[in-house]
């Protein structure tokens, strides 16, 4: 019994027990969507063992009943073109020609791409209809029955994995690697892992895979780059990659950081309750100030008008008294009468003023 | 203040409809008819053959023209609704009153058609309400959806006063409802500004989750703030921009008050937009420096960023400032064209041009002609419904039955 077989049996037995009992998960803190599932499963892809035979692609197509591509799977030149996963191809193996530092022929390195089944997936954080879920087993599952088809998951996925059925009119869905979840539940290995003839894919508990990867890197430091892709990238992924050349040369994004992508939106979403709570106070306050100012202005105006009116009245009184003194009581009565009739229409300060000035001359 | 002798056709109880304008043989009507027919055919194709049949969308570019223009630009350019109501009712700038109804009308239409256009882009358009049944509360898109749905309702209520004044002659019970709505104006305005702040900013926040895909010059933790601040510019600019076209097309439905106040509104909004644009320029500039993105300035994308900042942020700010100071309406209108173009450019940059910037050119997205046609179709629909409303409802004039009631 070689090690791969052993791990296979170990893994299969473990999955069934893991699926049976929901794992009590240890929260990884604060803003993440999903707790870290201690006993979740993963797959380790060792690119130093991969020969680019595309048997994993073929197996994936078969076990998932996906349509066969136009070019057959034994056409290995397909790996030379840069392909990504689509709704019809959930895993692809691409070839990267690595320059030989000592000169000579370029070395081909093959890298398998499929859903990485993140610990705290960006797609699940982005989905507004809760279609994606990180299962305790490690699978990132997708339930198409409630998918609205907005494709925000595809915008969010840092690995460019989910594919959409653009040609489907009535029930277009987002499709991606399922980690062969139905097979796992039956105690079988994922199709691609089972089909790999080179042992480049190792299935097991994620925590065990990390230890295995470390051992390989320690044992043969010249063979491996000292980096396990997926251990921490984007918050950690269930599928991880070992490489003999810098991962960036295999088209892998080394700048994703080590926190889940969903955390990046947590700040913006966290501000929502604050705005809902404070904006009414702010704008209600401004409204109150506006009203208050309007009232003050009105009061000031009334005060000014009243003062002007009082002043006018005084001046008029003085003028009439003056007339009484100089031209006699008769004239004063006449003037008073005239003023009364003049004031009948809505009293206007300016007209009184002009009459006063007229009197003064 | 000479009582201009305008000849506004006000529908009466016996003649509620005023559709004559649509049947006039004018180029505007003919172009509209052609666009609507083409749009209708494309709609049938889209919903029977799938999204892929008329779009260039692919797995790398799941969001294209319909999100970049119809959703992002649509929502920000409809910001005139909250901007004008807040200025008039909350900050008490009463001389904007005649601008409130046209602004609310266009905002309501804008949002309604954002939702309409979104249905084209969704794989399962009928499942849109699922977000309320299975709320993904960790999703920014959920916040956007919830706020847009709620704000559309608020706008509908705010807007409903105009159709009620039109229909009240036939259905007098609407008078009562109209009174209720008028009573809660301030409440609706404050509710509206809360919702607008949230979803205008969260449209930017949608991209927070994809730092590896959006170019660093556009990606920023402050992108929600950038979207919100620029939506104010979009709101005020659109009031001037739409006013320009309204004065061309539906001038004969404007009453004396509207005509008298229109220029003042334009100058005030130009001044406001100028201030905000300067602020926005500083925000973006400081953000670029703080995030140490100046290394990128000397790349192709850096040049493109500089073009956006100089010719579509700083330039409209200066044009507005000069236009408002000299009370030059033409200059203000040029400023508004420049600013609106700037908003569209910014949204295109974030959603399409600087998105997926690391992918090789062969894997990049460019909209198909049919996608653009659908966007034109949606804009034409908005204009057509706007015309219907203006021909029938007191939007650009005060209804004689409800004069001096505010």
């Amino acid at each position: 019994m070689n090690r791969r077989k052993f791990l296979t049996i170990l893994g299969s037995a473990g999955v069934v027990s893991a699926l049976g009992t929901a794992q009590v998960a240890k929260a990884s803190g604060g803003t993440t969507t999903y707790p870290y599932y201690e006993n979740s499963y993963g797959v380790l892809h060792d690119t130093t063992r991969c020969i680019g035979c595309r048997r994993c692609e073929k197996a994936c197509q078969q076990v998932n009943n996906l349509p066969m591509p136009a070019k057959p799977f034994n056409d290995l030149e397909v790996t030379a073109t840069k392909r990504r996963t689509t709704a019809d191809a959930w895993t692809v193996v691409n070839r990267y020609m690595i320059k030989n530092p000592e000169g000579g022929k370029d070395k081909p390195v093959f890298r398998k791409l499929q859903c990485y089944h993140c610990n705290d997936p960006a797609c699940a954080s982005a989905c507004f209809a809760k279609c994606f879920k990180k299962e305790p087993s490690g699978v990132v599952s997708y339930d198409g029955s409630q998918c609205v088809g907005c494709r925000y998951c595809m915008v969010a996925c840092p690995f460019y994995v989910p594919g959409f059925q653009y040609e489907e009119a009535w029930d277009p869905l987002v499709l991606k690697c399922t980690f062969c979840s139905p097979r796992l539940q039956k105690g079988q290995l994922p199709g691609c892992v089972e089909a790999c003839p080179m042992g480049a894919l190792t299935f097991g508990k994620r925590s065990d895979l990390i230890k295995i990867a470390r051992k390989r890197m320690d044992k043969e430091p010249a063979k491996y780059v000292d980096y396990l892709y997926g251990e921490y990238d984007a918050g950690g992924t269930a599928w991880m990659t070992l490489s003999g050349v810098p991962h960036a040369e295999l088209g892998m994004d080394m700048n994703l950081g080590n926190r889940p992508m969903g955390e990046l939106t947590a700040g913006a979403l966290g501000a929502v309750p604050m705005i809902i709570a404070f904006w009414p106070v702010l704008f209600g306050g401004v409204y109150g100030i506006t009203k208050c100012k309007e009232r003050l202005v009105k009061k000031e105006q009334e005060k000014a008008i009243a003062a002007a009116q009082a002043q006018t009245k005084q001046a008029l009184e003085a003028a009439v008294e003056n007339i009484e003194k100089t031209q006699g009581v008769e004239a004063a009565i006449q003037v008073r009468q005239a003023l009364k009739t003049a004031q009948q229409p809505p009293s206007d300060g300016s007209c009184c003023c002009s009459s006063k000035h007229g009197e003064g001359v | 203040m000479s009582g201009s002798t305008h000849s506004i056709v006000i529908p009466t109880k016996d003649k509620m409809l005023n559709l004559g304008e649509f049947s006039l043989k004018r180029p505007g009507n003919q172009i509209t008819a052609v666009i609507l027919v083409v749009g209708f055919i494309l709609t049938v194709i889209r919903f029977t053959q799938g999204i892929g049949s008329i779009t260039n969308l692919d797995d790398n570019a799941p969001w294209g023209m319909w999100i970049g223009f119809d959703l992002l630009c649509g929502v920000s350019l409809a910001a005139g609704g909250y901007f004008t109501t807040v200025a008039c009712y909350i900050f008490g700038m009463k001389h904007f009153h005649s601008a409130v109804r046209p602004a609310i009308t266009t905002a309501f239409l804008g949002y309604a058609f954002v939702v309409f256009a979104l249905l084209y882009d969704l794989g399962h358009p009928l499942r849109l309400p699922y977000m309320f049944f299975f709320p993904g509360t960790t999703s920014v898109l959920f916040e956007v959806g919830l706020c847009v749905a709620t704000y559309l309702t608020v706008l509908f209520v705010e807007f409903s006063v105009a159709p009620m004044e039109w229909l009240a002659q036939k259905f007098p019970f609407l008078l009562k409802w109209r009174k209720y709505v008028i009573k809660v104006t301030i409440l609706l305005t404050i509710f509206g500004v809360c919702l607008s702040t949230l979803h205008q900013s969260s449209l930017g926040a949608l991209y927070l989750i994809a730092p590896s895909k959006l170019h660093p010059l556009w990606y920023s933790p402050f992108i929600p703030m950038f979207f919100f601040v620029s939506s104010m510019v979009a709101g005020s600019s659109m009031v001037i921009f739409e006013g320009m076209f309204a004065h061309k097309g539906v001038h004969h439905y404007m009453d004396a008050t509207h005509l008298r106040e229109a220029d003042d509104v334009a100058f005030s909004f130009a001044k406001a937009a100028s201030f905000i644009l300067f602020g926005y320029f500083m925000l973006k500039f400081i953000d670029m420096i703080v995030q140490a993105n100046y290394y990128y300035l000397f790349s192709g994308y850096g040049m493109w960023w500089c073009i956006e900042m100089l010719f579509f942020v700083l330039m409209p700010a200066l044009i507005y400032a000069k236009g408002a100071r000299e009370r030059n309406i033409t200059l203000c209108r040029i400023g508004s064209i420049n600013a609106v173009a700037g908003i569209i450019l910014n949204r295109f940059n974030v959603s399409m041009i600087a998105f997926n910037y690391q992918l090789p050119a062969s894997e990049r997205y460019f909209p198909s002609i049919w996608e653009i046609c659908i966007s034109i179709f949606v804009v034409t629909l908005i204009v057509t419904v706007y015309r219907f409303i203006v021909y029938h409802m007191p939007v650009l004039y005060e209804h004689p039955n409800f004069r001096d009631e505010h």
Side-chain angles (χ1 to χ4, degrees), chain A residues 84 126 152 160 166 171 279 290, chain B residues 52 60 90 124 139 197 206 356:
Chain A
R84 58 157 287 166
Y152 187 35
Y160 290 94
Y166 286 103
D171 189 22
W279 252 220
T290 306
Chain B
N60 287 335
I90 305 294
H124 279 281
S139 171
T197 310
L206 284 175
N356 277 342

Side-chain angles (χ1 to χ4, degrees), chain B residues 150-316:
Chain B
T150 321
Y151 188 47
L152 183 57
T153 315
V154 169
L155 277 172
F156 173 75
V157 176
E158 284 185 302
F159 166 71
S160 68
V161 177
M164 284 200 279
E165 288 182 1
W166 168 47
L167 294 170
Q169 305 169 66
K170 221 162 202 167
F171 310 100
F173 72 91
L174 289 174
L175 290 173
K176 204 170 73 192
W177 285 100
R178 181 185 166 278
K179 270 212 181 99
Y180 289 142
V181 174
I182 299 234
K183 260 193 194 141
V184 292
T185 303
I186 298 298
L187 215 64
L188 289 174
T189 306
I190 292 181
F191 200 33
V193 71
C194 292
L195 292 167
S196 293
T197 310
L198 290 176
H199 71 254
Q200 292 287 0
S201 58
S202 20
L203 283 178
L206 284 175
Y207 291 90
L208 284 175
I209 204 164
S212 59
K213 298 186 182 180
L214 184 57
H215 192 281
L217 281 170
W218 283 274
Y219 184 91
S220 161
F222 294 102
I223 194 171
M225 190 175 177
F226 298 158
F227 266 57
F228 175 58
V229 172
S230 58
S231 86
M232 291 190 243
V233 176
S236 48
S237 299
M238 274 309 270
V239 170
I240 307 173
F241 187 76
E242 284 160 17
M244 174 170 62
F245 288 104
H247 276 282
K248 271 223 170 82
V250 287
H251 190 272
H252 49 301
Y253 286 87
M254 296 175 176
D255 67 3
T257 320
H258 188 98
L259 290 171
R260 190 179 61 243
E261 292 182 356
D263 282 5
D264 261 339
V265 169
F267 295 136
S268 305
F269 276 35
K271 201 171 178 181
S274 172
F275 264 107
I276 302 168
L277 273 167
F278 277 120
Y280 179 66
F281 181 83
M282 289 315 290
L283 277 178
K284 293 272 283 186
F285 186 73
I286 291 169
D287 180 68
M288 183 268 293
I289 291 179
V290 168
Q291 296 203 57
N293 282 340
Y294 31 78
Y295 297 110
Y296 296 105
L297 285 183
F298 304 100
S299 64
Y301 276 106
M303 293 308 290
W304 187 239
W305 188 83
C306 290
I307 288 173
E308 184 193 326
M309 293 312 292
L310 293 178
F311 296 104
F312 294 93
V313 178
L314 203 56
M315 198 160 88

Side-chain angles (χ1 to χ4, degrees), chain A residues 245-314:
Chain A
V245 297
H247 289 78
E249 291 182 33
L250 302 180
M252 307 180 84
D253 194 336
M254 299 301 289
N255 301 314
L256 295 177
N258 58 11
R259 303 298 305 162
M261 309 311 283
E263 278 186 14
L264 292 165
T265 59
L269 286 170
V272 172
M274 296 298 133
I275 287 177
I276 291 177
F278 193 64
W279 252 220
V281 178
L282 187 68
F283 285 92
V286 172
Y287 175 69
I289 292 168
T290 306
K291 282 278 135 188
C292 180
K293 262 190 187 153
E294 276 171 14
R295 257 202 318 277
L296 281 179
V297 166
K298 208 170 157 198
K299 227 182 199 170
E300 293 277 312
Q301 267 175 351
E302 275 166 5
K303 220 167 150 188
I305 289 171
Q309 276 173 342
Q311 211 182 358
T312 315
K313 208 170 171 193
Q314 232 175 2

Side-chain angles (χ1 to χ4, degrees), chain B residues 289-367:
Chain B
I289 291 179
V290 168
Q291 296 203 57
N293 282 340
Y294 31 78
Y295 297 110
Y296 296 105
L297 285 183
F298 304 100
S299 64
Y301 276 106
M303 293 308 290
W304 187 239
W305 188 83
C306 290
I307 288 173
E308 184 193 326
M309 293 312 292
L310 293 178
F311 296 104
F312 294 93
V313 178
L314 203 56
M315 198 160 88
L318 293 169
I319 295 175
Y320 269 146
K322 194 168 154 63
R325 167 177 278 199
E326 295 174 0
R327 297 182 69 80
N328 180 341
I329 192 74
T330 317
L331 215 51
C332 288
R333 285 174 177 173
I334 293 172
S336 78
I337 296 171
N338 197 173
V340 168
I343 297 293
I344 295 176
L345 179 68
N346 176 258
R347 300 309 191 253
F348 276 21
N349 278 340
V350 170
S351 65
M352 292 180 274
I353 299 170
F355 192 78
N356 277 342
Y357 72 107
Q358 283 175 320
L359 292 184
S362 59
E363 291 172 38
R364 298 292 302 277
Y365 161 87
F366 194 86

Side-chain angles (χ1 to χ4, degrees), chain A residues 33 82 84-87 122 124-130 144-152 154-158 160 162-164 166-173 253 256 261-262 264-265 268-269 271-272 275-276 279-280 283-284 286-287 290-291 294, chain B residues 47-53 57-63 86 89-92 94 121-125 127-128 130-131 134-143 186 190 193-194 197-198 205-213 219 224 355-356 359-360 363:
Chain A
T33 316
K82 191 196 158 202
R84 58 157 287 166
T85 52
T86 65
S125 162
C127 182
F128 74 153
K130 278 197 171 154
S145 68
Q146 60 200 55
C147 176
V148 181
C150 71
R151 308 189 292 285
Y152 187 35
M154 298 163 70
V155 170
C157 177
Y160 290 94
F164 186 72
Y166 286 103
E167 306 305 323
E168 167 66 45
W170 307 107
D171 189 22
L173 296 175
D253 194 336
L256 295 177
M261 309 311 283
L264 292 165
T265 59
L269 286 170
V272 172
I275 287 177
I276 291 177
W279 252 220
F283 285 92
V286 172
Y287 175 69
T290 306
K291 282 278 135 188
E294 276 171 14
Chain B
F47 285 104
T48 55
Q49 308 296 314
I51 296 173
S53 61
L57 294 174
D58 61 26
D59 292 332
N60 287 335
W63 285 359
V86 167
Y89 297 129
I90 305 294
F91 288 90
K94 293 278 163 61
D121 194 67
L122 293 177
H124 279 281
R127 290 186 187 170
L128 187 53
Y130 276 22
M131 67 175 173
F134 314 104
T137 46
T138 54
S139 171
V140 178
L141 198 58
F142 173 72
E143 190 204 329
I186 298 298
I190 292 181
V193 71
C194 292
T197 310
L198 290 176
L206 284 175
Y207 291 90
L208 284 175
I209 204 164
S212 59
K213 298 186 182 180
Y219 184 91
F355 192 78
N356 277 342
L359 292 184
E363 291 172 38

